């Protein structure tokens, strides 16, 4: 489903963050990306969602070279990806339900359908009774769960979760991981980035980024 | 098609939600824009009024030729012959001095008094109508005719009619220029209002992009917002013009109106009002489009 071929990435003027990365991910797989802070985990995930383009090499998603995608084709690709942002990116001028509705609106779901799916997603993360709250009124863990609800609301075939358990205590972290494992069991491909290798069980495939290379 | 319709509905919902978030501010913007539009409307009404004055003027001014009462028959014949060969003569009418006097006597009810005049004081008169309204042509006629010994005086209302027309045409030009400038100003104000909105929504725009929103999806609510603001401002202006015509203009009209003539104030028809509101909505859309283009589609 995802294939990296000799991918290098540097931001303008900076040194290579990723160097000649090769990686292949099958549909339905669950992969954990680990590495120190600043190793390039977020960068790797962003390359998968065409939020960044490779400096060298090519990234393939469903047999499409996303480095060579037309500008107008990018939105369609992103709609099939549920991205859990490391910095949350919640909208503080919308309530909880409004935040989860956003990807459904973007994808063009009708009002009724969108509402039903948004509530189903909120129910999954245990926030259904908070749908009228503003994100500021949520605790850190609740905000994290809201991010996940937003990422899964459209039931995308691919979920990219960047530090979904960051800064959470073990209990919360485990419940969120359980959730992602559940999505994976239903066939969703899941990529998790986490600097804390311990949070992640060894049951799943793990790739480590070290000095720009995968180990 | 279905997705498009869903997105359009979503965009309008977004517009109303955003409006509801700051109703007072948006209302003030619309009011300000509406008042500026009233100015535009009044300019156009003034133009239409002036046009009506010009339309009411004789399309072909007449030239009056008064004959010298002491002219010889030969001189008179020369005049008559000359009149027949005037270029672009549409019509000529001869009023003999006797006919003129009897008409005058009737009109003024002079009765017996006229007969007591020792001599008919009125001259023979020709009324000449040119086929075109052309000041130089009339000047040429006047010159030719005045030179003849049988002619006492040549009078023409054509010159001032021409001048008035030229004046109104200049006025129309100025009004159109002003209207253009005003429209430009309005577009920038609409654009500014939308730009402020865009800046306030940058986080939402960013996230939407990252989860797959197209440019159109992002732009649509802003464009509709401009359209709605323009529409409402246009309605405010139409209402304002109505208030003006009901209250102020009749007073003004009394000053301007000649007895028995049509009013100088031209009330805009319903159709024109609709066109005006639509044009205003278009200006709003244009302003929004410029703002969106500048802020989002670089
Ligand atoms: N937009 C950017 N411009 C320039 N440099 C960047 C940019 N984004 C990331 N970097 C740099 O790239 C390197 C890798 O960043 P990245 O966010 O991928 O790390 P990470 O593994 O996700 O770290 P963390 O665990 O702290 O989230 C860092 O050194 C960072 O400073
Ligand atoms: Mg990161």
């Amino acid at each position: 489903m995802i294939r990296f071929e000799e991918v290098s990435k540097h931001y303008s003027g900076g040194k290579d963050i990723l160097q000649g990365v090769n990686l292949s991910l099958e549909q339905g797989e669950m992969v954990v990306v680990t590495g120190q802070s600043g190793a390039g985990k977020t960068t790797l995930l962003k390359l998968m969602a065409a939020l960044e383009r490779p400096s060298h090499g090519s990234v393939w998603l469903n047999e499409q070279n996303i480095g060579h995608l037309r500008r107008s084709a990018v939105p369609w690709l992103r709609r099939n990806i549920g991205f859990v942002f490391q910095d949350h990116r919640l909208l503080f001028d919308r309530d909880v339900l409004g935040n989860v509705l956003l990807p459904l609106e973007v994808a063009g779901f009708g009002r009724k359908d969108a509402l039903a799916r948004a509530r189903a997603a909120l129910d999954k993360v245990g926030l259904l009774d908070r749908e009228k709250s503003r994100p500021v009124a949520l605790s850190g863990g609740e905000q994290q769960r809201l991010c996940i609800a937003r990422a899964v609301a459209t039931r995308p075939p691919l979920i990219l979760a960047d530090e979904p358990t960051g800064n959470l205590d073990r209990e919360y972290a485990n419940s969120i991981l359980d959730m992602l494992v559940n999505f994976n069991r239903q066939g969703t491909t899941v990529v998790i980035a986490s600097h804390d290798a311990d949070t992640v069980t060894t049951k799943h495939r793990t790739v480590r980024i070290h000095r720009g290379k995968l180990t | 098609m279905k997705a498009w319709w869903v997105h359009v509905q979503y965009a309008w919902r977004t517009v109303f939600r955003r409006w509801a978030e700051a109703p007072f501010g948006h209302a003030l913007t619309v009011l300000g824009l509406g008042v500026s539009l009233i100015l535009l409307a009044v300019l156009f009404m003034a133009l239409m009024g002036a046009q009506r004055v010009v339309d009411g003027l004789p399309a072909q001014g007449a030239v009056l030729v008064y004959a010298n009462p002491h002219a010889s028959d030969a001189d008179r014949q020369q005049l008559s012959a000359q009149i027949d060969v005037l270029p672009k003569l549409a019509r000529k009418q001869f009023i003999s001095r006797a006919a003129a006097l009897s008409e005058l006597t009737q009109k003024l009810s002079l009765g017996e008094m006229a007969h007591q005049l020792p001599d008919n004081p009125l001259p023979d008169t020709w009324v000449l109508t040119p086929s075109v309204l052309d000041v130089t042509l009339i000047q040429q006629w006047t010159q030719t005719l005045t030179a003849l010994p049988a002619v006492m005086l040549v009078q023409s209302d054509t010159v001032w009619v021409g001048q008035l027309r030229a004046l109104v045409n200049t006025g129309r030009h100025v009004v159109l220029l002003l209207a253009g400038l005003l429209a430009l100003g309005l577009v920038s104000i609409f654009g500014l209002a939308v730009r402020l909105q865009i800046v306030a929504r940058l986080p939402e725009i960013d996230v939407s992009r990252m989860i797959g929103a197209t440019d159109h999806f992002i732009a649509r609510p802003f464009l509709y917002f401009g359209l709605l603001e323009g529409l409402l401002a246009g309605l405010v202006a139409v209402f304002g013009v109505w208030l003006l015509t009901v209250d102020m203009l009749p007073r003004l009209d009394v000053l301007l109106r000649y007895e028995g003539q049509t009013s100088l104030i031209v009330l805009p028809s319903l159709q024109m009002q609709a066109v005006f509101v639509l044009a205003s909505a278009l200006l709003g859309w244009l302003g929004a489009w410029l703002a969106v283009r500048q802020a989002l589609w670089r």
Side-chain angles (χ1 to χ4, degrees), chain B residues 243-264:
Chain B
L243 276 185
L244 274 181
T245 48
V246 161
D247 174 55
M248 289 264 311
L249 293 187
R251 296 162 213 237
L252 201 62
D253 211 18
V254 169
L255 295 175
L256 293 174
R257 187 190 291 193
Y258 303 89
E259 203 189 336
Q261 280 198 325
T262 45
S263 159
L264 286 181

Side-chain angles (χ1 to χ4, degrees), chain A:
Chain A
M1 179 174 214
I2 300 173
R3 201 165 73 244
F4 278 56
E5 289 174 354
E6 293 297 327
V7 171
S8 298
K9 173 72 190 174
H10 61 82
Y11 292 99
S12 57
K15 60 174 176 53
D16 272 5
I17 292 145
L18 299 175
Q19 292 171 358
V21 167
N22 288 297
L23 174 70
S24 181
L25 269 174
E26 295 307 316
Q27 179 141 15
E29 230 182 327
M30 176 148 176
V31 178
V32 179
V33 181
T34 65
Q36 284 181 326
S37 173
K41 303 180 292 294
T42 299
T43 303
L44 193 79
L45 261 56
K46 280 184 174 170
L47 285 167
M48 293 177 182
L51 291 171
E52 293 287 349
R53 299 204 167 193
S55 311
H56 296 287
S58 43
V59 177
W60 297 81
L61 182 69
N62 295 324
E63 301 310 320
Q64 272 186 307
N65 185 339
I66 63 181
H68 294 167
L69 228 47
R70 271 180 302 118
R71 184 178 146 77
S72 60
V74 172
W76 307 97
L77 176 136
R78 289 190 187 148
R79 286 182 205 176
N80 287 313
I81 299 173
F83 208 111
V84 180
F85 299 99
Q86 184 169 13
D87 50 358
H88 296 177
R89 299 274 188 162
L90 294 174
L91 298 176
F92 290 92
D93 53 359
R94 286 182 173 221
D95 59 17
V96 164
L97 185 67
N99 271 275
V100 182
L101 278 172
L102 185 66
L104 295 157
E105 288 158 351
V106 164
F109 284 93
R111 182 78 181 155
K112 259 183 162 169
D113 200 8
L115 275 172
R117 283 169 187 255
R119 294 212 166 98
L122 280 176
D123 194 24
K124 268 188 203 138
V125 300
L127 284 177
L128 191 53
D129 54 338
R130 305 296 302 273
E131 66 168 54
K132 289 263 184 298
S133 305
R134 296 266 154 173
V136 271
L138 299 183
S139 73
E142 285 167 339
Q143 289 187 10
Q144 199 99 330
R145 284 188 273 157
L146 177 54
C147 285
I148 292 174
R150 184 178 65 187
V152 303
T154 59
R155 293 173 208 157
L158 173 63
I159 293 177
L160 306 174
D162 197 357
E163 306 283 359
T165 61
N167 311 320
L168 289 188
D169 61 43
R170 188 147 282 293
E171 202 176 326
Y172 267 134
N174 281 338
S175 79
I176 282 178
L177 281 175
D178 284 348
M179 221 150 54
L180 291 171
V181 168
N182 257 324
F183 289 128
N184 179 243
R185 284 214 186 99
Q186 288 157 26
T188 310
T189 311
V190 178
V191 182
I192 301 173
S194 171
H195 63 274
D196 177 11
D198 293 347
T199 30
V200 188
T201 46
T202 47
K203 275 187 293 188
H204 303 287
R205 179 177 164 198
T206 304
V207 295
R208 198 169 111 82
I209 308 180
H210 187 62
R211 297 205 173 147
K213 306 257 184 215
L214 292 195
T215 58

